[in-house]
């Protein structure tokens, strides 16, 4: 009996359906808490020592309330970066009651999209992290 592999596109569609369902049943987290989560996201990403040129913020976009953009080292494999982001989401960033997330991996590019809720009467939070491979500057030939 064979196993069915779920494509990234199918995972993203499932995630978006779940995110929309929670958004219809709860309100977004308050701006003060979003600032706190933004700092926490930045600190957790930097603590891995995998990411550089990292910027984090928060927005009014209900699909991306807390955001981060950065780069990962040129010698790292995208799948390892994806595993790190998934671990951070599961162990450090998500709320305890409910979560949904999708990880997208492409050449030189990894994204985490997540939604979470801490209790059945509380607000939701959405996060979107985009990291790209850092480029090594070309070295000039020595002058003779």
């Amino acid at each position: 009996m064979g196993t069915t592999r779920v494509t990234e596109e199918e995972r993203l569609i499932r995630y978006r359906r779940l995110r929309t369902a929670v958004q219809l049943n709860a309100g977004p987290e308050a701006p003060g808490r979003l600032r706190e989560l933004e700092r926490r996201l930045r600190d957790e990403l930097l603590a891995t020592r995998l990411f550089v040129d990292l910027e984090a913020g928060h927005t009014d976009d209900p699909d991306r309330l807390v955001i981060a953009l950065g780069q990962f080292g040129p010698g790292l494999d995208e799948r390892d970066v994806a595993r790190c982001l998934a671990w951070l989401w599961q162990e450090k960033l998500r709320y305890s009651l409910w979560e949904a997330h999708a990880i997208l991996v492409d050449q030189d590019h990894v994204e985490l999209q997540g939604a979470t809720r801490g209790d059945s009467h509380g607000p939701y939070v959405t996060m979107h992290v985009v990291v790209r491979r850092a480029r090594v500057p070309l070295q000039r030939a020595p002058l003779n």
Side-chain angles (χ1 to χ4, degrees):
M1 194 159 146
T3 60
T4 303
R5 287 190 58 99
V6 177
T7 67
E8 281 188 352
E9 184 178 345
E10 290 168 328
R11 267 189 299 247
L12 188 56
I13 289 168
R14 287 180 187 175
Y15 163 73
R16 288 180 176 162
R17 283 183 185 149
L18 290 169
R19 180 190 67 202
T20 299
V22 80
Q23 289 170 321
L24 293 173
N25 292 292
E29 188 65 85
R33 180 76 174 123
L34 292 178
R35 281 190 287 281
E36 191 178 308
L37 292 168
E38 164 194 331
R39 283 190 297 276
R40 186 167 154 207
L41 174 60
R42 182 186 315 104
D43 291 347
E44 293 294 348
L45 289 169
L46 289 173
T48 68
R49 304 185 76 185
L50 297 179
F51 305 103
V52 295
D53 294 331
L54 192 66
E55 297 179 34
H58 61 280
T59 73
D60 293 330
D61 182 346
D63 297 342
R64 295 166 193 83
L65 291 171
V66 179
I67 57 173
L69 178 63
Q71 296 182 15
F72 59 92
L76 294 172
D77 184 272
E78 294 90 349
R79 292 169 301 204
D80 292 334
V81 173
R83 281 190 285 275
C84 177
L85 288 177
W87 182 86
L88 282 175
W89 173 255
Q90 290 292 338
E91 301 297 325
K92 303 284 188 171
L93 300 170
R94 74 181 189 100
Y95 287 169
S96 60
L97 176 72
W98 177 87
E99 72 86 22
H101 72 279
I103 304 269
L104 307 173
V105 180
D106 202 356
Q107 183 176 348
D108 299 332
H109 179 100
V110 181
E111 285 186 49
L112 163 72
Q113 294 183 39
T116 189
R117 195 166 174 197
D119 63 60
S120 59
H121 301 291
Y124 69 86
V125 173
T126 53
M127 286 189 186
H128 192 167
V129 178
V130 177
V131 289
R132 298 177 189 273
R133 182 178 311 283
R135 299 286 179 215
V136 177
L138 295 175
Q139 300 295 316
R140 289 192 221 178
L143 297 174
N144 291 331

